Amino acid sequence: MLSALFRRNRATTAPAPDGLPVLDAADTGDATDAAAWAAGRRNALRELVAERGALVVRGLGLRTPADVESVLRQVAERPVAEREAFAARDRHADGVYSSSAWPPNQTMCMHHELSYAFECPGLLMFACLEPPDEGGATAVADATEVLRALPAELVDRFAREGWLLDRAYNEGIGATLGQSFGTDDRDAVEAYCRAHAIDWSWQPDGSLRTRQHRPAVVRHPVSGRHCWFNQIAFLNEWTMAPEVREFLTEEYGPDGLPFNTRYGNGDPVPPDVVEQINKTYEAHTVRRPWQRGDLMLVDNIRTAHSREAYRGPRNIVVAMADPVRPGLPEPRTGREAA
C-alpha cells in the first residue's frame, strides 16, 4: 500500500527541499469525500508518518473542525482527551481542539505534545482552516536527530536524571484548574495527581502548585529509536521573554511561575543549557507555510513541533489520538508535598 501510494503521487510525495514531505490529494470538495479518501489510505498514511515522522496532505478541502474529526476517525485508533494543558484552548469534539492560546507575536518553541503527562498522544493532526497572512508555520524537528546533535554531557545527565516540571496555577495566568484537569473539585484534582505521579500542594490563597518527574530520553514504542522527548527548554523560565519573566517573578515570586523546568535532582537548568537545546532544535527545524485545507500528520514521539509567530488571522485545528506511555513504568503514586 505504501509503495502504491508513492507511485500514484510520484511527483508530489518526495521530500520537499526543506525536508517536509507533501502528499497532494485531489480536492475532494466536501468532508465526506475527505474522510473516504483518508479511510482508503489509512495504512499508507500511518506508514508514511512512521517512516518520515511528519507529512503534509494537501488538497483535502478541509473547512471545519467537523471535517477534521471525520478524517481523524478514519486514520487514528482512538482520540485523546487533553489533560494537564498549559494554555487554554477550545474543545470541538473528542480529541479535536483549537490551537493553544498563545500571543501571535511570540514563537511557541519546539515541544512534544503533553510530553510531561503520564499518557500522551502518539499521533497528532494539524489542519489549516484559515492560514495567517504572514508566518505562523507549524514547524517540526526530528527528535532522534536532535538527540544525536546535542552535547553528550547534556544528554547523559538528562538521560540519567530525567527532568522536573514545576507548575503554579495562578488566577489569570495560563490554563485554569478546570481547563487543565477537567474539574475544579479539589478531591478530583488530588485523585488525578495520585494516579499520574504528580506531587501537589495547595497554597494559602487556594492556588495549586505541582511537580512531576519525567524521563527526558525515551524509546519510540514502535521503532525502538531513542528520542529527545520532553519540554525542558520550552517550559523553562529562560525561554520566556525577559519582560514577561520579570513581571511574573515580581508578581508571584520565583517559585510561583506558571511553569518551570529543572534537572531531575532539582537543580535549576541554566540559561546556556536552554539556549543550547533551542539552538539544536533550530538547526534541525523544517517548515512549510500553511495553505487553506492542509492537513499535517505528526508522530508525536519522534517529531517535535513549534508554532512560529504570525500576523493576521490563523485558524489551525489540532487533533490528538492513539495514547501511549513512552518510557514510563506503572505510575508511582503522587503525593501531597510537605
Side-chain angles (χ1 to χ4, degrees):
M1 181 66 173
L2 179 62
S3 60
L5 186 57
F6 269 111
R7 285 196 299 271
R8 283 196 298 272
N9 299 277
R10 185 178 300 277
T12 57
T13 54
D18 58 10
L20 186 60
V22 178
L23 172 64
D24 269 337
D27 193 334
T28 58
D30 61 58
T32 300
D33 289 342
W37 185 95
R41 295 158 179 82
R42 179 183 187 277
N43 291 339
L45 289 171
R46 294 185 68 93
E47 287 178 33
L48 279 168
V49 174
E51 178 185 337
R52 302 296 183 87
L55 71 138
V56 172
V57 180
R58 185 153 285 170
L60 282 178
L62 301 173
R63 295 176 176 83
T64 69
D67 295 351
V68 181
E69 181 190 13
S70 68
V71 173
L72 176 70
R73 291 187 178 279
Q74 299 302 326
V75 175
E77 298 290 341
R78 65 186 177 98
V80 170
E82 183 181 46
R83 289 292 181 267
E84 302 181 50
F86 62 82
R89 64 165 102 230
D90 298 325
R91 177 184 175 277
H92 296 302
D94 288 346
V96 182
Y97 299 88
S98 68
S99 297
S100 297
W102 201 259
N105 64 336
Q106 295 180 20
T107 296
M108 185 179 289
C109 298
M110 281 290 174
H111 63 286
H112 300 261
E113 203 70 30
L114 299 178
S115 61
Y116 49 81
F118 190 81
E119 187 173 80
C120 71
L123 176 68
L124 301 176
M125 292 170 51
F126 299 91
C128 179
L129 306 186
E130 184 175 12
D133 296 334
E134 180 182 328
T138 300
V140 296
D142 188 307
T144 299
E145 295 303 318
V146 169
L147 177 66
R148 290 172 180 160
L150 285 167
E153 63 275 12
L154 184 156
V155 170
D156 288 346
R157 179 169 183 183
F158 278 114
R160 185 173 64 251
E161 296 182 7
W163 63 293
L164 296 174
L165 172 63
D166 291 334
R167 298 188 63 175
Y169 292 84
N170 300 309
E171 188 69 28
I173 302 294
T176 65
L177 279 181
Q179 291 164 340
S180 189
F181 293 97
T183 179
D184 293 311
D185 180 78
R186 279 198 178 198
D187 290 340
V189 169
E190 291 177 9
Y192 181 95
C193 290
R194 289 190 189 95
H196 294 82
I198 301 172
D199 298 335
W200 75 92
S201 62
W202 297 101
Q203 302 304 298
D205 63 0
S207 64
L208 177 70
R209 293 184 184 178
T210 64
R211 168 172 284 189
Q212 52 217 89
H213 182 267
R214 297 294 185 251
V217 179
V218 304
R219 279 186 177 273
H220 192 283
V222 177
S223 70
R225 298 183 184 194
H226 284 97
C227 299
W228 178 254
F229 180 77
N230 56 71
Q231 286 173 229
I232 293 166
F234 178 29
L235 296 180
N236 187 274
E237 62 176 304
W238 299 111
T239 297
M240 296 179 186
E243 64 275 14
V244 173
R245 184 179 66 254
E246 290 170 10
F247 168 78
L248 292 176
T249 300
E250 182 177 344
E251 188 74 11
Y252 300 106
D255 296 326
L257 297 176
F259 42 76
N260 202 2
T261 62
R262 296 177 177 271
Y263 286 105
N265 71 347
D267 287 347
V269 180
D272 63 308
V273 170
V274 174
E275 182 180 13
Q276 177 68 69
I277 294 171
N278 283 328
K279 282 186 174 179
T280 304
Y281 274 131
E282 289 170 11
H284 291 81
T285 293
V286 295
R287 61 181 58 78
R288 179 161 288 278
W290 282 116
Q291 292 185 18
R292 191 181 302 273
D294 278 356
L295 177 71
M296 179 187 289
L297 294 91
V298 176
D299 180 328
N300 187 42
I301 309 301
R302 177 178 168 183
T303 306
H305 67 276
S306 66
R307 192 226 67 192
E308 300 182 343
Y310 67 94
R311 296 178 61 184
R314 181 183 186 271
N315 186 2
I316 306 296
V317 171
V318 182
M320 309 180 196
D322 300 353
V324 293
R325 294 181 174 183
L328 290 173
E330 286 305 303
R332 68 174 181 82
T333 301
R335 62 182 177 83
E336 186 171 6

